[in-house]
């Protein structure tokens, strides 16, 4: 079954051709610009999938209406568009208390930052993943797609590659000593030197997932020397969700800080869903191509073939997928190692490949055709995310022979991919008790040449379904402290169902906590600035600043207002937790001010100062509290 | 101002005398039984507070109505009672899928367990903190109070103390080689030997908070050799909540697993609130007496005195408070060390004592009168929780000189208290980045003779108000892994307002996750049984068992049912996350079964087995999926 036939069968509105969207033009432009386009068109099955791109892009256009105000943030607007059969909306406008600013790079690239404006006149700039959606007056049209930020960068890349005789991937160019525009952008974004970015990419310890067919994305880097990144999984399944919901989740996830998004759709209209997501995504998009390949063969893993898989990869490559999970380490001989496990194989891709291996009694075609896959990835500069198909799905199965056998094979594949100048990261568990976490990072770095580790949690216990964002945040923070470069979020729905919009936000915020905690623990040079700014605001009773500096200003404010909604409570020197008389921060302010003024840093100064302070305190009537505001 | 006058002034309904409650009788009985009662009555101010006990117990009785069914659990009932001015209810009946069972100790004590009944006929027993409220048909009357479980144990304790010439505290008796009934109960509860319990108490590495005036409590132990415990803070403030709300929160917190509860009330009717909580609590209750002492002197910390504080401690001791936070380590000379901090002093008690020290230019009366305090604690067998008044309130202030200077003094006080055979635990931070957590435990153990560490989180970052249950669960799990014996929960309202009922549950479940994760990491002999049982249920698609084995069956079930509510989905071999075709667990079951049957554990067996499996798989039509159930 061809991809286009499948798509047509699932889309009743397929013939409804409206104005051709900008996203289709972008695809055409990028395909034309790429030296590999000719090769792609020549490969089997490609013409069918290329047709789908145009068709689905044309089909998907409907209405783009900007509503005045909605969402939980006062400043947020909503852009509505009907994607296929169901109408939806995405949230736009700045996060409350913030505005988008840009930093210029040496060559004039504009790097986005979110500026949190404080009531004392100061501000704090933070890393921003939200793309154009958070402009003050965003110009968003979902069927047009985002501006193709990187479309004009290809000429320089071509010239650099030609002059250095390098393979035209970020890894190839880095190895040739070239600082690409992506690297220049990232250096400013991370606040580090461009040389560090290039060096880390060249040695394979960091990756820049940036398919040249996804020019809408803002360059970002994944590596242990940089800020810890987080990924949000979205995607429909056979029983739930729609395209519009998934586009909304993508925008929503990046609003709150998702650095990449994986589209794990397995239901209807996989190609079309992905097209909408890619054309509107400011962050790199990852996929697991085996899911769509399985749909193409009617859901029967035994009918999978290298050819069907390869064509799916090329189809997705053309759309602009930036990194792809490939479970090429699930070898035939490893499958029996899972036999005595409590939870067997819990990776979808891993179980599909295990079933294929069993049915055919052959080595995985992902493994035997790996070099051909590298050639495709090289053309588009797609990054491998070598999947841990045998990751543990329970505490009992953590760090077992199946898991580590696969990891050794992933190490072998890492070096094979790098020989093609293709970037690699390695996926990791899963479910791991705390005392077995560090071993995962140590082994991964040793076996896989320090390729960036990209872990799912891990969950530190199995016993809390409905709270697995928390069980996994514990493991995630610890494994990131140990060196994991990107954390795949887990939502409260893990093990139970498909996450909705609220779950996506909860997952993202929870993982921002884990990632930031690790940045602090690793001593990232700027990480603590935000903690200090927020804590200073807290100590000075600048409630609004405390809200706005937080990861989720809307929820922080609403929790405060549940018990003290009146406006004076926003300046009161207490909250409902302790009330006015027991506010420790207020009481201690007197102490602090005095000691600072008198330079009380030595024991002698303390003795003298304390006596003076005692007198002063008594003279002022022993007042340490403000008058009570409110009841 | 006397305690009774204050209480009368705040309770308009004070003269409304109804039937005298059983709780007042319990107090009378326990006061009579205690050798120290005469001494207590003789101390200044005590008669006033003793009057309050009877008055408030008499006043608080109203109606006890058992409703048929309510709450989120199908099996849960609600017991209603109006405590003072506002009506409320507590949730009763078993947690869904479970029933209360009892294990007998050698001398016939009955130790509660919660038995999770599985659909495959098996069961798993778990530690139970919920008291009589979770009986199948609970006989609960809030104004009568819980049965006085330990009331009859005093005769043996008296005899043991007399025969061994020991001080009649758990520590005194343990040092004399006596295994008390409390220790016997705990040994069965923890699944360890009674000798281990006695040994750990004797060396001060574990404590059994059990005021002899709180006979309703079920004995429990806090120490690093045992299961990690969690505490839930409740209590009203000047601006929010009522007595009835707080009793409800206490029952609710213990239902979900709180091992102890601290009543941190600072608002009106502190004494009466505590009385209701104590008489109805199956777990030890902790307080911070300085809060009530401050209320007694009109909220002005400069007016505090040793006498006012002492009388408050005795009043609370008579009521049955099991452990008390005493900020005796906040010395005058340490206060200036907080001057340059980002958030100064964030402990309520610490800031109150710092203000007193400044105003009087004297050393803290808690420090100078510490031996007298030990004498009082010894009489009732109250456990010290030596408060960390100078704990860091921000990442910037973690592990600073103020914090560790106080910790050194707490070490000194630990040894002074132990000289009185009084049990001690040490409170810890607060806000600490991950890389500074282990140092806290190491220093505490070194300086404080391995006294159990009892920490508040710590929060691993400051930047997520509204999610501080999560930021702190990360730190809590890690510090417990490092040796902390009890974790004080943090709710989503931390830094923002007073937690409501939902926040209390979220805080408790989150901290059960942290504690259990640490139990796993520490290799507690039985901890992993629950993980394994749940994961096995998950792998076998026993959805109901997966829900019921989880920390929060109600929420797990409702999350599942959000997308697949129909009854067949409870047996379906998939959920809405992946749908039927992509369920890895289903796919892998074939693999597992086959390998187990063929004993495929060696490479040779694998080679042979895989080939046979391939043929078998093909003969069966390559079917790896169940027929689809539902849409």
């Amino acid at each position: 079954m061809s991809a286009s036939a499948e798509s047509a069968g699932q889309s009743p509105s397929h013939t409804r051709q409206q104005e051709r969207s900008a996203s289709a033009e972008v695809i055409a432009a990028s395909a034309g610009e790429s030296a590999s386009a000719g090769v792609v068109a020549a490969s089997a099955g490609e013409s069918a999938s290329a047709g789908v791109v145009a068709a689905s892009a044309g089909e998907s256009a409907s209405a783009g209406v900007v509503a005045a105000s909605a969402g939980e943030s006062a400043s947020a607007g909503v852009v509505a568009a009907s994607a296929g059969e169901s109408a939806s909306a995405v949230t736009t406008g700045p996060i409350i208390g913030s505005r988008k600013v840009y930093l210029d790079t040496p060559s004039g690239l504009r790097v986005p930052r979110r500026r949190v404006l404080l009531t004392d006149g100061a501000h704090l700039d933070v890393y921003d993943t939200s793309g154009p959606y958070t402009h003050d007056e965003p110009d968003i049209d979902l069927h047009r797609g985002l501006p193709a930020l990187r479309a004009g960068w290809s000429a320089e890349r071509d010239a650099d590659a030609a002059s250095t005789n390098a393979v035209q991937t970020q890894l190839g160019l880095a190895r040739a000593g070239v600082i690409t525009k992506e690297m220049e952008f990232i250096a400013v974004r991370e606040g580090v030197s461009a040389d560090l970015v290039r060096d880390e990419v060249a040695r394979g310890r960091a990756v820049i997932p940036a398919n040249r067919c996804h020019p809408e994305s803002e360059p970002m880097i994944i590596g242990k020397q940089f800020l810890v990144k987080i990924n949000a999984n979205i995607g429909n399944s056979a029983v739930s969700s729609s395209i519009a919901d998934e586009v909304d989740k993508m925008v929503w996830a990046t609003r709150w800080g998702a650095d990449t998004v994986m589209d794990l759709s397995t239901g209807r209209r996989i190609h079309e869903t992905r097209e909408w997501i890619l054309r509107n995504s400011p962050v790199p998009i990852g996929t697991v191509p085996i899911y769509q390949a399985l749909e193409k063969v009617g859901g029967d893993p035994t009918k999978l073939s290298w050819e069907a898989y390869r064509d799916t990869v090329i189809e997705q490559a053309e759309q602009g997928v930036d990194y792809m999970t490939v479970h090429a380490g699930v070898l035939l001989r490893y499958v029996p190692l899972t036999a005595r496990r409590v939870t067997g194989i819990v990776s979808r891709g891993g179980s599909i490949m295990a079933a294929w291996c069993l049915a055919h009694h052959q080595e995985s075609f992902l493994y035997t055709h790996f070099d051909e896959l590298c050639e495709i990835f090289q053309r588009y500069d797609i990054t491998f995310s070598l999947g841990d198909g045998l990751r543990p799905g329970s505490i009992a199965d953590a760090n077992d022979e199946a898991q580590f056998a696969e990891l050794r094979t992933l190490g072998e594949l890492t070096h094979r991919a790098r020989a093609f100048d293709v970037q690699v990261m390695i996926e990791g568990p899963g479910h791991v008790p705390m005392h077995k976490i560090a071993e995962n990072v140590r082994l991964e770095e040793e076996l896989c040449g320090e390729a960036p580790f990209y872990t799912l949690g891990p969950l530190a216990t199995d016993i809390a379904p409905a709270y697995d964002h928390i069980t996994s945040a514990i493991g995630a923070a610890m494994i990131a402290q140990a060196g994991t470069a990107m954390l795949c979020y887990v939502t409260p729905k893990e093990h139970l169902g498909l996450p909705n919009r609220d779950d996506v936000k909860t997952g993202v915020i929870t993982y921002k906590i884990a990632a930031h905690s690790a940045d602090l623990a690793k001593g990232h040079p700027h990480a603590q600035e935000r903690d200090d700014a927020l804590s200073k605001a807290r100590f000075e009773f600048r409630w609004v600043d405390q809200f706005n500096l937080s990861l989720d200003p809307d929820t922080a404010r609403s929790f405060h207002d549940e018990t003290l909604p009146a406006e004076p409570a926003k300046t009161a020197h207490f909250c409902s937790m302790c009330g006015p008389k027991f506010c420790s921060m207020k009481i201690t302010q007197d102490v602090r001010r005095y000691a600072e003024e008198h330079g009380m840093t030595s024991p002698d100064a303390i003795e003298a100062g304390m006596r003076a302070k005692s007198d002063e305190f008594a003279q002022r009537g022993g007042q340490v509290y403000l008058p009570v505001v409110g009841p």
Side-chain angles (χ1 to χ4, degrees), chain A residues 231 260-264 284-288 321-325:
Chain A
N231 170 71
T260 77
V261 166
M262 288 195 80
D263 173 17
L264 303 185
I285 297 296
T287 61
V288 188
V321 171
D322 300 286
Y323 65 92
M324 296 185 189
T325 296

Side-chain angles (χ1 to χ4, degrees), chain A residues 342-365:
Chain A
V342 169
T343 47
I345 302 175
V346 296
S347 151
R348 293 179 192 175
S351 63
I352 291 166
M353 290 314 300
W356 188 91
C357 290
L358 279 187
H360 294 273
H361 191 242
Q362 288 176 14
E363 196 49 274
S364 160
F365 57 77

Side-chain angles (χ1 to χ4, degrees), chain A residues 105-338:
Chain A
T105 73
S107 81
L109 307 178
R110 300 177 71 228
V111 178
R113 304 283 282 172
R114 177 156 72 87
R115 175 159 294 176
V116 185
L117 306 162
L118 306 180
T119 55
D120 64 1
H123 66 259
L124 183 81
D125 288 352
V126 300
Y127 194 99
D128 176 60
T129 59
S130 62
Y133 299 96
T134 48
H135 284 160
D136 284 350
E137 294 180 3
D139 175 25
I140 301 297
D141 179 343
L142 295 181
H143 62 272
R144 187 186 62 204
L146 295 179
L149 173 71
R150 298 191 298 124
W153 298 4
S154 58
E156 181 177 310
R157 199 165 49 216
D158 288 344
D160 285 336
S163 69
T164 58
N165 201 25
V167 168
Q168 210 202 55
T169 61
Q170 298 292 331
L171 177 55
L173 290 161
R175 282 171 163 174
V178 174
I179 292 174
T180 62
K181 278 190 147 55
E182 283 82 0
M183 296 174 200
E184 179 187 333
F185 186 101
I186 286 164
V188 172
R189 197 169 196 186
E190 296 270 347
V192 299
S193 75
D195 281 333
L196 176 68
V197 174
R198 192 200 58 75
D199 286 348
E200 291 292 309
V201 172
R203 68 189 283 182
R205 202 157 68 170
V207 296
I208 300 174
N211 184 329
R212 59 190 62 148
C213 297
H214 185 204
E216 299 89 348
S217 73
E218 297 169 340
M220 55 80 71
I221 195 163
I222 301 165
K224 66 187 288 186
Q225 300 298 312
F226 306 96
L227 289 165
V228 175
K229 303 303 186 296
I230 68 167
N231 170 71
N233 288 340
I234 61 171
N236 60 14
S237 74
V239 293
S240 183
S241 193
S242 71
I243 292 176
D245 286 347
E246 299 313 312
V247 173
D248 175 44
K249 285 182 196 168
M250 178 276 292
V251 175
W252 189 235
T254 57
R255 179 179 183 84
W256 298 112
D259 294 286
T260 77
V261 166
M262 288 195 80
D263 173 17
L264 303 185
S265 292
T266 57
R268 297 181 306 146
R269 301 162 67 184
I270 291 181
H271 180 105
E272 192 184 351
T273 303
R274 188 170 53 239
E275 184 66 21
W276 275 92
I277 290 170
L278 274 161
R279 298 290 73 76
N280 289 289
S281 174
V283 303
I285 297 296
T287 61
V288 188
I290 198 83
Y291 299 169
Q292 188 182 7
L294 185 65
E295 289 287 349
K296 288 185 183 181
V297 297
D300 180 350
T302 68
K303 297 208 166 60
L304 281 167
S305 66
W306 160 246
E307 290 73 20
Y309 182 80
R310 176 197 60 202
D311 294 350
T312 305
V313 166
I314 293 170
E315 173 190 339
Q316 297 194 7
E318 279 291 313
Q319 285 187 288
V321 171
D322 300 286
Y323 65 92
M324 296 185 189
T325 296
V326 181
H327 298 95
V330 180
L331 300 190
L332 181 59
R333 64 181 180 275
Y334 299 156
V335 178
L337 299 177
T338 66

Side-chain angles (χ1 to χ4, degrees), chain A residues 365-438:
Chain A
F365 57 77
L366 297 175
Y367 183 81
T368 56
H369 291 270
F370 191 74
D371 287 354
E372 293 164 75
L373 209 47
C374 290
E375 288 169 10
I376 300 169
F377 276 41
Q378 186 196 67
R379 272 180 238 139
Y380 298 86
D381 200 1
I382 294 167
T383 299
F384 272 110
S385 186
L386 292 176
D388 52 340
L390 303 181
R391 68 170 174 267
S394 55
I395 292 296
D397 297 342
N399 292 23
D400 71 353
E401 179 52 23
Q403 181 192 341
F404 289 152
E406 181 187 29
L407 187 59
R408 281 189 290 275
T409 299
L410 298 187
E412 173 204 327
L413 296 171
T414 299
H415 297 294
R416 281 167 65 182
R418 285 181 182 168
F420 288 85
D421 287 320
V422 171
Q423 304 181 99
V424 177
M425 52 184 173
I426 305 291
E427 296 186 9
H431 294 238
V432 184
M434 288 193 287
H435 63 298
K436 294 186 178 178
I437 284 177

